[in-house]
Amino acid sequence: MRDPLVGFAWDALHERYDAMCSRFQPHSPHLEGLGAQVRSDRALYHVLCSRFRLSERLPGLELYEAMLYWKLYAIPQALGILRSFIRANPEQRTHAAGRFAALGAAMPSAIERDVDEIVRLIEHIGSFDLLGMKSPTALPMRTTFLHFRYPTVVPILDRMVLQAVGVCEDEANHDIRVLREYLPFAWDLAERHLSAVNGFAESQVRLIDMALWIVRGQERHRL
């Protein structure tokens, strides 16, 4: 894996990130249950971070739906997952709410930067049979969930982020072996660029995610 962030313009991070989020819809029906107005991807991110910190037991299925939207809105074909979520009958949603609450209660209050512990939690998430995180290869969504629980520790295993660091194999973002390699690499990047990422509202781990996403987006635009 390579570091493409040498010389990155950190002072323009938010502006460049926002420009890449043109598909975000602040009035999406998937956000109605939040009870909060969010005008951008970053605004929704911070609301989700705040809500996930409120208690040990995660509050309500609407939060999970909003998280799914945040992760999937830029991928039109993936929004079918959300349409299935909305079409579920009340009994199915009640069961899902119970599983989501149980998942929240099963998570430790805090974790360290420990690869084996994070992999164990990722595998444990699968036992709760939640839409979007059922498959053993659903690492992008499972790491998204863990990121909101532990935003200073767990980076999101995103396809574009992996491509930015030179991992371009098909389905790399669904491979637990890639995750095991990427976790310490992302932590090292956060430490390497520590002086540049101070002063932002997001965690160092999240700032690295954002910057790598921007780098790959620009590379694709030039192709």
Side-chain angles (χ1 to χ4, degrees):
M1 296 183 181
R2 62 184 178 89
D3 177 3
L5 300 179
V6 176
F8 184 81
W10 291 99
D11 58 340
L13 173 72
H14 284 163
E15 179 182 354
R16 294 165 70 186
Y17 181 87
D18 291 345
M20 289 179 61
C21 298
S22 58
R23 289 180 174 169
F24 183 82
Q25 298 294 324
H27 303 296
S28 168
H30 304 297
L31 304 178
E32 291 176 356
L34 280 181
Q37 289 188 341
V38 288
R39 297 183 178 180
S40 68
D41 173 293
R42 284 194 297 118
L44 176 57
Y45 173 84
H46 288 295
V47 167
L48 290 171
C49 281
S50 176
R51 298 288 176 86
F52 270 73
R53 285 196 302 266
L54 283 178
S55 66
E56 295 299 318
R57 295 178 63 84
L58 299 178
L61 202 56
E62 293 80 5
L63 183 65
Y64 186 62
E65 185 173 350
M67 187 194 78
L68 287 174
Y69 177 77
W70 182 82
K71 180 58 180 168
L72 299 176
Y73 77 83
I75 313 170
Q77 61 270 31
L79 287 176
I81 294 176
L82 279 172
R83 287 192 288 273
S84 297
F85 192 93
I86 282 189
R87 284 199 300 266
N89 63 46
E91 182 178 357
Q92 289 173 320
R93 287 180 66 87
T94 298
H95 285 309
R99 291 193 295 271
F100 186 46
L103 172 59
M107 294 293 105
S109 59
I111 61 173
E112 302 294 329
R113 289 182 174 181
D114 182 315
V115 173
D116 289 336
E117 172 68 1
I118 292 170
V119 169
R120 185 191 70 78
L121 291 176
I122 283 171
E123 292 172 346
H124 189 44
I125 287 171
S127 66
F128 292 87
D129 196 33
L130 278 161
L131 180 70
M133 298 199 296
K134 292 180 181 181
S135 168
T137 61
L139 295 181
M141 194 60 70
R142 293 188 190 185
T143 54
T144 297
F145 171 82
L146 288 178
H147 175 75
F148 282 114
R149 286 288 285 180
Y150 316 108
T152 65
V153 177
V154 183
I156 298 169
L157 196 68
D158 180 85
R159 178 173 56 89
M160 284 181 56
V161 165
L162 289 176
Q163 289 173 352
V165 300
V167 182
C168 299
E169 292 81 6
D170 290 342
E171 305 299 319
N173 61 326
H174 300 294
D175 190 333
I176 197 70
R177 294 170 298 179
V178 174
L179 176 65
R180 283 186 171 276
E181 183 179 355
Y182 179 67
L183 285 170
F185 182 78
W187 297 331
D188 180 67
L189 280 184
E191 295 304 316
R192 195 179 306 171
H193 296 279
L194 179 62
S195 62
V197 300
N198 281 332
F200 287 90
E202 296 87 359
S203 71
Q204 295 167 13
V205 165
R206 174 60 185 155
L207 291 167
I208 294 299
D209 277 351
M210 294 169 73
L212 293 174
W213 196 63
I214 289 168
V215 166
R216 181 53 183 163
Q218 291 184 323
E219 289 175 349
R220 293 177 65 177
H221 182 71
R222 288 195 294 266
L223 295 177

